[in-house]
Amino acid sequence: MSSETDPLEHVILHAFRYACWQERLDIAEFMLAALEKLDQEHTDYVSEDRPLMDAYRDLTSSL
């Protein structure tokens, strides 16, 4: 797999953010799990510029 992010990850990140905005934390949790699964499949990621890291930053910035 290439080192570029999968477009699916960006769609899931958008759904994660929307679920958080709608205060649907149950759905956001599923979206985060999906991002974690996809991220695990990209063993060639070296950058912090990944959809999963963006989701984690969103979580920590809202605390």
Side-chain angles (χ1 to χ4, degrees), residues 4-56:
E4 294 182 23
T5 59
D6 185 334
L8 177 59
E9 289 174 277
H10 293 286
V11 172
I12 293 171
L13 176 61
H14 179 74
F16 167 79
R17 288 175 170 163
Y18 192 74
C20 289
W21 182 72
Q22 290 286 313
E23 297 182 7
R24 289 298 312 266
L25 301 182
D26 54 337
I27 303 302
E29 184 178 4
F30 281 113
M31 297 300 103
L32 187 60
L35 285 172
E36 290 170 338
K37 174 64 176 156
L38 288 167
D39 192 77
Q40 287 175 355
E41 295 175 3
H42 293 283
T43 57
D44 52 354
Y45 276 165
V46 291
S47 148
E48 291 294 311
D49 187 26
R50 312 188 322 246
L52 178 61
M53 294 297 106
D54 290 341
Y56 287 158

